[in-house]
Amino acid sequence: MGFGILFCAVDHFLMLYVALVAGGGGDSSQERKILTFLAFNLFQEGKMSWTVADAVDYKGFPADRSKTGGWVPAALILGIEICERLSTMGIAVNLVTYLVSTMHLPSATSANTVTDFMGTSFLLCLLGGFLADSFLGRFRTIAIFATVQAMGTGMLAIITRLPQLQPPPCKNTPTQTCKQANGFQMGILYLALYLIALGTGGLKSSVSGFGTDQFDDKDEKEQSQMIYFFSRFFFFISTGTLMAVTVLVYIQDEVSRSLGYGICCVSMLIAILVYFSGTKRYRYKKSVGSPIVHISQVIVAAMRKRKMDLPFNASLLYEDSAEGSRIQHTDQFRCLDKAAILAGEFDKTASSDPNPWKLCSVTRVEEVKMMARLLPIWATTIIFWTTYAQMITFSVEQASTMERSIGNFQIPAGSLTVFFVAAILITLAVYDRFIMPMWKKWRGKPGFSSLQRIALGLILSIVGMTAAALAERRRLSVAKAVGDNTATLPISVFLLIPQFFLVGSGEAFIYTGQLDFFITQSPKGMKTMSTGLFLSTLSLGFFVSSFLVSVVKRVTGSRDGQGWLADNINYGRLDCFYGLLAILSFINFAVFLVCAVWYKPQKPNDGMQMETMANGSCPEEKC
């Protein structure tokens, strides 16, 4: 495309030059001015071909396409994400054993501590997104919060090393009860955990957005690379998780827990140094102000004018954005259009600029509409992560009652999450190597759309919960046959693999689909905030799971004091609980389909092309 623009400019230059020479002289000074002007335009159009329009380099100059962005800086950013997953999951999957065996907390309290830690980590993504979009920018946000997480992990390594920060060891004698950790010891532990949660939430919402900043969505080649980036991004997340639940957990249990946490800290520090090494190669997007303030301005301005009538023609609404950055007007949420109604002097302040709390441009209103359109899709994906929560809680408890031996080796019940992660990696590899090329050859598109991937994830979660209910029904029948008090039932743990594989494959599709959807369908100035909005579905999924468990225990607990979710699952009806989740997931999927049909993506704006043609430039296809 750059050569086409240059060709057009040179062509115009030569034609006018020949015309002037053929004209036989004239005002030579005027000719020089015209030729100088054309030469300047030629330089500018050539310059535009190798710069990225909305990105700058580390010095604040327009980003050179050949020297910034692309896969190399994106890979450096992904290194931060691998270490974040290694630290967070390496702590979360094995934290319960430390709280129970070392800190002597009850199992329910320990489980709630882990759930609160994970939920808070994802919930704080909203804070990180707000800070990145409003004040710090994505580069600084990642650097600051990655350092915070490294500090928290290092503090946790010290805590698990010092006996003064732990209660006395429990000797498990009939005459001695284990002494729980005191308030000071738990306070220090919570400080470390929530420093890690703060670091995770702060950087996680910016990593994916900063990664996509390295690709120009207006360039066809780089746009296709961005689509592959989403799949590779989740592949790196899964790789970090796999290392955490295998190598790191083994080191914590068999060598030293402090050493395991220390490895997390050192790996993050190394990742930060690698991240800074790419400072000159990154493309940076400028912060455009607080998205929350912008949204509030539109809502307040629309409420002020709620009694006014909208003009018949949308072109009469106020618009002051540059032609190339304008967003086309849409008919959804027309009540918000009232924020752009011109009302004479009422909308003017002492300066020449309008008061944004009284008058907003159509582009600003459309940005708020874009965020509002995301909310129905956002709400219908929460139930998937409620299903996901069962894979690391009740499914592990199922495995603990089943035969897990392979020869002389016994698989730890918690290590069954390896099959879950393996399903994610296999699904991503098959999708990347086989499905995407076939789909591109058949439909001309480089893979499924974001909404199609979300739909596939929801479908697989429904099938996964159905498989889990059937597997649990089979397990309960064996328990009834041999006796409910049998410690290890004569049934293979591999019966649970289908539910792990189906939900794991569903996560591969829905995570990449949500990530793609929330980044590409949000305004440029709100991408980090929208990523935090996406990650909040994980947090809410954990909290909804806790709420649902509490409701089910209360409603069904009257049956022999046990109910569906008994303390000993051999006496409960976990299959009914899984069936309930399958039904809720099916209803949620039906609602999602309605929301997906209702959703209307923002049409691309042709303002830039029109402006270019008006200025006398020549698009490549017209040359």
Side-chain angles (χ1 to χ4, degrees):
M1 181 175 181
F3 290 108
I5 294 174
L6 285 173
F7 176 78
C8 292
V10 172
D11 184 54
H12 288 324
F13 179 81
L14 291 177
M15 286 173 56
L16 186 56
Y17 179 78
V18 172
L20 289 172
V21 173
D27 188 351
S28 59
S29 63
Q30 184 68 17
E31 291 176 7
R32 284 195 297 271
K33 290 180 180 179
I34 294 174
L35 292 176
T36 302
F37 174 76
L38 285 174
F40 176 77
N41 281 346
L42 174 62
F43 172 77
Q44 286 296 107
E45 293 190 12
K47 183 179 179 180
M48 289 299 294
S49 67
W50 50 258
T51 59
V52 183
D54 57 349
V56 296
D57 60 16
Y58 74 105
K59 292 183 178 180
F61 298 122
D64 187 337
R65 190 182 302 276
S66 63
K67 297 180 180 179
T68 63
W71 276 112
V72 173
L76 301 180
I77 299 168
L78 288 177
I80 288 278
E81 182 60 26
I82 288 182
C83 294
E84 181 274 321
R85 282 289 85 190
L86 181 69
S87 298
T88 304
M89 296 305 297
I91 293 167
V93 297
N94 210 28
L95 183 59
V96 169
T97 59
Y98 175 75
L99 295 174
V100 172
S101 61
T102 304
M103 306 302 281
H104 306 152
L105 299 183
S107 58
T109 304
S110 301
N112 287 339
T113 299
V114 176
T115 303
D116 292 342
F117 165 70
M118 292 295 292
T120 304
S121 297
F122 289 113
L123 197 60
L124 285 171
C125 292
L126 290 173
L127 173 64
F130 169 74
L131 293 176
D133 283 338
S134 305
F135 308 108
L136 300 175
R138 294 177 184 132
F139 175 78
R140 291 189 183 91
T141 301
I142 293 173
I144 291 171
F145 285 100
T147 304
V148 170
Q149 193 195 50
M151 290 171 56
T153 310
M155 185 176 178
L156 190 61
I158 296 173
I159 291 171
T160 55
R161 181 70 175 177
L162 296 178
Q164 296 88 345
L165 297 177
Q166 302 167 8
C170 183
K171 299 180 181 180
N172 291 323
T173 62
T175 59
Q176 182 182 8
T177 58
C178 296
K179 181 181 179 181
Q180 292 187 21
N182 58 39
F184 174 76
Q185 293 167 337
M186 290 303 301
I188 297 296
L189 178 63
Y190 285 142
L191 178 61
L193 288 177
Y194 285 96
L195 271 177
I196 297 169
L198 177 62
T200 299
L203 71 89
K204 198 168 184 63
S205 59
S206 296
V207 168
S208 56
F210 194 46
T212 57
D213 285 347
Q214 309 313 309
F215 305 97
D216 183 9
D217 56 4
K218 297 182 180 64
D219 182 89
E220 184 177 351
K221 180 180 178 181
E222 292 194 17
Q223 187 179 32
S224 63
Q225 291 177 338
M226 186 190 299
I227 296 174
Y228 280 96
F229 171 81
F230 290 116
S231 295
R232 284 169 172 78
F233 176 79
F234 191 63
F235 180 85
F236 275 72
I237 290 177
S238 302
T239 301
T241 303
L242 183 63
M243 294 171 62
V245 301
T246 53
V247 178
L248 205 59
V249 169
Y250 176 83
I251 292 175
Q252 292 173 12
D253 287 346
E254 302 298 330
V255 183
S256 169
R257 186 174 294 270
S258 180
L259 176 62
Y261 295 151
I263 291 174
C264 294
C265 178
V266 173
S267 64
M268 179 57 79
L269 291 175
I270 294 174
I272 292 172
L273 293 177
V274 173
Y275 174 71
F276 278 121
S277 70
T279 301
K280 295 182 179 180
R281 293 293 307 272
Y282 296 136
R283 294 175 186 170
Y284 305 87
K285 301 293 179 71
K286 294 182 178 179
S287 299
V288 294
S290 170
I292 295 179
V293 172
H294 293 167
I295 293 172
S296 300
Q297 288 172 344
V298 172
I299 294 174
V300 170
M303 290 181 64
R304 285 175 179 267
K305 302 176 183 178
R306 62 187 180 277
K307 295 182 179 180
M308 298 180 66
D309 296 327
L310 287 168
F312 178 78
N313 192 337
S315 63
L316 299 176
L317 296 172
Y318 175 72
E319 178 63 277
D320 66 344
S321 303
E323 184 72 26
S325 61
R326 290 182 181 179
I327 301 177
Q328 292 183 2
H329 176 266
T330 58
D331 292 330
Q332 289 180 318
F333 304 109
R334 295 206 65 190
C335 60
L336 295 175
D337 289 339
K338 294 187 177 183
I341 296 177
L342 288 164
E345 296 300 322
F346 174 76
D347 296 307
K348 297 293 182 178
T349 61
S351 65
S352 59
D353 295 328
N355 184 346
W357 294 95
K358 296 180 179 180
L359 179 65
C360 301
S361 66
V362 172
T363 295
R364 182 56 51 80
V365 172
E366 290 300 322
E367 288 178 344
V368 177
K369 288 184 181 181
M370 290 174 70
M371 294 299 294
R373 292 189 194 102
L374 302 180
L375 295 180
I377 304 298
W378 169 82
T380 52
T381 54
I382 293 174
I383 192 67
F384 175 87
W385 300 107
T386 301
T387 300
Y388 167 87
Q390 314 316 312
M391 296 297 102
I392 58 176
T393 53
F394 288 117
S395 293
V396 174
E397 192 170 354
Q398 284 178 282
S400 66
T401 67
M402 304 171 74
E403 178 59 50
R404 307 189 305 275
S405 298
I406 301 178
N408 295 326
F409 176 74
Q410 187 175 33
I411 303 173
S415 294
L416 278 184
T417 51
V418 170
F419 296 107
F420 186 83
V421 179
I424 295 173
L425 297 175
I426 292 172
T427 301
L428 289 175
V430 171
Y431 178 75
D432 191 32
R433 296 299 179 183
F434 299 101
I435 296 179
M436 289 183 71
M438 290 174 59
W439 192 257
K440 186 174 183 179
K441 185 179 296 185
W442 180 38
R443 300 295 299 272
K445 298 179 180 179
F448 300 140
S449 69
S450 56
L451 290 178
Q452 287 172 337
R453 277 176 281 168
I454 293 173
L456 280 173
L458 294 176
I459 292 172
L460 288 170
S461 70
I462 297 171
V463 180
M465 281 294 96
T466 303
L470 295 175
E472 174 61 10
R473 185 176 290 273
R474 172 62 179 162
R475 193 195 66 83
L476 284 175
S477 65
V478 173
K480 299 298 181 186
V482 301
D484 294 332
N485 292 323
T486 304
T488 302
L489 302 177
I491 183 172
S492 175
V493 74
F494 295 112
L495 181 68
L496 303 181
I497 288 181
Q499 65 198 59
F500 278 101
F501 190 87
L502 288 166
V503 177
S505 297
E507 184 185 357
F509 281 115
I510 200 170
Y511 194 103
T512 55
Q514 281 184 282
L515 187 63
D516 186 357
F517 178 78
F518 280 89
I519 287 181
T520 59
Q521 299 301 313
S522 62
K524 287 185 177 180
M526 302 182 185
K527 290 187 182 298
T528 310
M529 179 182 175
S530 66
T531 304
L533 188 66
F534 146 56
L535 293 171
S536 70
T537 61
L538 281 73
S539 174
L540 292 175
F542 280 107
F543 293 140
V544 169
S545 176
S546 300
F547 172 76
L548 195 59
V549 167
S550 300
V551 171
V552 169
K553 285 179 73 74
R554 178 172 297 181
V555 172
T556 66
S558 59
R559 187 179 65 85
D560 300 329
Q562 296 292 340
W564 289 1
L565 304 177
D567 294 336
N568 184 339
I569 61 173
N570 290 343
Y571 292 98
R573 291 300 306 270
L574 187 58
D575 57 329
C576 294
F577 181 68
Y578 284 154
L580 174 63
L581 280 175
I583 294 172
L584 292 176
S585 298
F586 180 80
I587 296 173
N588 176 80
F589 177 68
V591 176
F592 168 80
L593 291 179
V594 174
C595 295
V597 172
W598 171 84
Y599 179 78
K600 296 179 181 178
Q602 189 72 43
K603 294 181 180 179
N605 186 26
D606 297 328
M608 179 67 76
Q609 182 178 353
M610 293 175 64
E611 182 182 27
T612 304
M613 294 179 66
N615 291 336
S617 302
C618 181
E620 181 180 2
E621 60 269 21
K622 298 292 184 181
C623 294

